[in-house]
Amino acid sequence: MEQDLQFNNTELNLLSKNETKLITKKSNQIKDTTHTPQTYWKECLKVIKDNIDSQAYNTWFEPLQPLSYIDNKFKIKLPSEWFREWLDTHYYDLINKTLKRVINNDVELIYDVVVIDSNGNEPTMVLYPAQRQPNVDNSDAFNKRLDQSKLKPMFTFDNFVAGDSNITAINAAKAVAKELNNTRFNPLVLFGGVGLGKTHLANAIGNYVFQNYPNQKVMYISSDTFTNDFIAQVTKKDNNITAFNDIYKNIDFLIVDDIQFFAGKKETQDKFFHIFNSLYLEGKKIVLTSDRPSSNLKSIDNRLASRFIAGLNVEIKTPDYKHRKDIINFKSRIEGIQLPEEIVDYIALNINTNIRAIEGVLLNLSFRTTYCSEKLTIELVNETISKIASEKQNITIEEIIDKVSNQYNIKAELIESKSRKQEIALARQIAMKLARKHTELSLKTIGEKFNRNHATVIHACLTIENLLDTDTKIKEQYEAIETLIKNR
């Protein structure tokens, strides 16, 4: 394994004559042309990719961004201090020797790192020279632990922007990560809409435990990956399910993303139930994410659903205007662009739900202003937002229910309940009408979401259409919700 993660001794200390000539030739070609930091780095990545396994490459090198090469100082941007420590501890020789071979022997590597202090002050970018860290653990056991965790190391507590919409979830996540002996909040279920940070926060828990408690065996996995791995194992000729069970039996901290996708998969649910139960009874920690509360999960076995409901269910809500501005300011620093206050305001007003859309806009603005020499204007921002908006994912029925819930200040679970109270029934009918208009779901599927049949959905749509023609107040409310859905 050690040879997979580093140059072997021969490569580090004594290149063959042909290799030396080839690298010298490449270096001369680079120097003789107007290469950018990006093309230098691309050359380096070719060498690095050949000397480590694909998972390590994807985890630790794909997220890196070259920034500049001035006065023999090659600067790259890192998403967190942990990234810097990890690279210096495990890949210092690999990166340093590669840069010297591709560029020249005098090149110095500089990290530009996003740093947040413990007092929660504004994030800053701090420059660090690369330097070898002592006591590097490149043992087979260590690398095996790293591979098994499957964590996304760029997702940490430090770069998760807190606000009113997610502070409860952050506090719950930190409690679960830091208080290993406290099993009261087990499992922790983080739920919320698309693109609000569930995956980030779940990984932040795992990364904190991985970094601070080396004896803890942590594993992050999506429900789809779990399902595919299970199916692949049981369909093998030998059907050695023991090998699949062995992956999970010794885990101390299991994180499963998007548990709603277990719905309708009976055999997968049965297998996950036994794994969940075994870990739970042994006092092991379990963190789950979902796009809805555990009580609203459909086609999930009652044994599983009851265990999810019995845990700590915490919602990550849609960020409000102030929180969106904080997110934009933070992420624009990471992208290396300075945004005037009016542009921050404009983005915050025009992207009001999905944080991923904010990230997409900032990434595009960074590219166009840096590499296309375009001027940062409201017009450019508006064009970029429009383009991102046209590439949005399909509207979900959960998003619609959330918007209706906010408009009428009625809990989502009440809208989906069998309550016949007038205000709840009206909100439910509006949600059905909007779901019929803005999703491609069948009448039967929409009805099932609200514990009704397709005939009830048809009646709801006709009722709301009549009210839109006769009741100005309801029409205004309906159009306000529809505007939020369209501009999500």
Side-chain angles (χ1 to χ4, degrees), residues 323-477:
H323 190 190
R324 292 198 301 274
K325 287 185 65 175
D326 291 340
I327 292 170
I328 293 165
N329 281 318
F330 175 84
K331 293 186 178 294
S332 64
R333 289 186 182 89
I334 293 178
E335 288 302 330
I337 55 176
Q338 296 293 324
L339 297 181
E341 187 67 19
E342 64 172 355
I343 287 182
V344 173
D345 287 338
Y346 189 85
I347 297 173
L349 286 169
N350 286 277
I351 302 179
N352 50 30
T353 56
N354 195 319
I355 296 172
R356 288 181 195 162
I358 290 175
E359 293 173 336
V361 166
L362 295 176
L363 180 65
N364 278 269
L365 290 176
S366 176
F367 172 79
R368 294 181 67 170
T369 55
T370 303
Y371 299 107
C372 302
S373 300
E374 296 187 56
K375 188 176 180 181
L376 186 60
T377 62
I378 289 291
E379 289 72 26
L380 177 62
V381 174
N382 183 55
E383 179 188 336
T384 305
I385 290 175
S386 298
K387 183 177 185 298
I388 296 295
S390 68
E391 297 173 354
K392 288 178 185 174
Q393 294 182 345
N394 293 333
I395 296 170
T396 66
I397 194 168
E398 288 76 23
E399 288 179 89
I400 291 171
I401 293 172
D402 180 64
K403 298 296 181 295
V404 174
S405 171
N406 290 336
Q407 174 69 35
Y408 290 101
N409 196 26
I410 297 173
K411 292 183 178 180
E413 50 263 39
L414 289 177
I415 294 176
E416 298 176 40
S417 73
K418 294 183 179 181
S419 172
R420 295 179 180 274
K421 288 185 178 180
Q422 185 175 358
E423 64 273 18
I424 296 175
L426 174 63
R428 183 185 302 122
Q429 289 175 328
I430 287 177
M432 287 181 176
K433 168 65 176 172
L434 290 167
R436 184 62 177 156
K437 181 176 180 180
H438 293 286
T439 75
E440 297 181 1
L441 299 177
S442 66
L443 291 169
K444 181 175 181 292
T445 301
I446 294 172
E448 288 175 349
K449 179 65 178 176
F450 297 93
N451 298 297
R452 264 71 173 177
N453 58 33
H454 72 284
T456 304
V457 179
I458 294 174
H459 173 72
C461 291
L462 292 174
T463 299
I464 296 304
E465 286 175 7
N466 289 333
L467 288 173
L468 292 178
D469 290 335
T470 58
D471 192 314
T472 304
K473 183 178 179 181
I474 289 179
K475 183 179 180 180
E476 289 176 353
Q477 293 169 345

Side-chain angles (χ1 to χ4, degrees), residues 176 185-189 252-256 272 275-277 279-280 284-288:
V176 168
F185 307 137
N186 203 27
L188 170 63
V189 183
D252 299 299
F253 220 108
L254 178 63
I255 302 167
V256 184
F272 184 69
I275 290 172
F276 180 103
N277 226 28
L279 295 175
Y280 181 84
K284 305 300 179 64
K285 292 289 192 72
I286 302 167
V287 175
L288 311 170

Side-chain angles (χ1 to χ4, degrees), residues 78-86 113-116 128 158:
L78 308 187
S80 69
E81 284 198 89
W82 183 26
F83 238 90
R84 174 184 66 85
E85 293 171 3
W86 194 278
V113 184
V114 178
V115 174
I116 303 178
Y128 294 94
D158 283 345

Side-chain angles (χ1 to χ4, degrees), residues 137-364:
D137 184 357
N138 272 326
S139 65
D140 288 343
F142 176 85
N143 287 313
K144 183 178 181 181
R145 177 173 170 257
L146 173 62
D147 291 342
Q148 288 176 336
S149 78
K150 304 184 189 302
L151 290 164
K152 304 177 188 299
M154 64 288 296
F155 293 150
T156 67
F157 287 128
D158 283 345
N159 57 23
F160 192 78
V161 184
D164 289 343
S165 69
N166 59 23
I167 191 62
T168 302
I170 292 173
N171 289 337
K174 288 183 176 179
V176 168
K178 295 179 180 181
E179 301 172 15
L180 291 186
N181 295 324
N182 184 353
T183 58
R184 287 189 304 144
F185 307 137
N186 203 27
L188 170 63
V189 183
L190 301 169
F191 70 92
V194 176
L196 298 182
K198 301 185 298 295
T199 296
H200 185 145
L201 199 52
N203 273 272
I205 295 171
N207 284 321
Y208 183 91
V209 174
F210 189 94
Q211 185 179 13
N212 291 279
Y213 303 101
N215 293 328
Q216 290 284 304
K217 189 175 181 181
V218 184
M219 183 176 186
Y220 164 86
I221 193 168
S222 70
S223 61
D224 279 345
T225 300
F226 180 93
T227 300
N228 293 337
D229 289 349
F230 174 63
I231 292 172
Q233 187 61 56
V234 298
T235 54
K236 286 182 178 179
K237 289 183 179 180
D238 58 0
N239 188 18
N240 183 13
I241 197 62
T242 301
F244 183 83
N245 293 337
D246 286 345
I247 297 173
Y248 295 92
K249 70 179 183 180
N250 295 319
I251 289 174
D252 299 299
F253 220 108
L254 178 63
I255 302 167
V256 184
D257 213 355
D258 290 325
I259 57 172
Q260 72 273 7
F261 293 128
F262 281 143
K265 300 168 182 173
K266 186 178 182 302
E267 291 186 9
T268 301
Q269 287 184 43
D270 186 59
K271 171 51 61 181
F272 184 69
F273 169 78
H274 290 294
I275 290 172
F276 180 103
N277 226 28
S278 176
L279 295 175
Y280 181 84
L281 292 174
E282 291 178 17
K284 305 300 179 64
K285 292 289 192 72
I286 302 167
V287 175
L288 311 170
T289 76
S290 173
D291 67 352
R292 66 204 75 176
S294 298
S295 58
N296 289 351
L297 289 169
K298 307 298 181 184
S299 302
I300 296 289
D301 187 280
N302 288 335
R303 297 178 303 171
L304 269 181
S306 65
R307 281 158 176 76
F308 298 162
I309 292 170
L312 178 61
N313 284 246
V314 184
E315 183 178 9
I316 301 179
K317 300 177 181 178
T318 303
D320 60 19
Y321 171 70
K322 179 182 180 302
H323 190 190
R324 292 198 301 274
K325 287 185 65 175
D326 291 340
I327 292 170
I328 293 165
N329 281 318
F330 175 84
K331 293 186 178 294
S332 64
R333 289 186 182 89
I334 293 178
E335 288 302 330
I337 55 176
Q338 296 293 324
L339 297 181
E341 187 67 19
E342 64 172 355
I343 287 182
V344 173
D345 287 338
Y346 189 85
I347 297 173
L349 286 169
N350 286 277
I351 302 179
N352 50 30
T353 56
N354 195 319
I355 296 172
R356 288 181 195 162
I358 290 175
E359 293 173 336
V361 166
L362 295 176
L363 180 65
N364 278 269

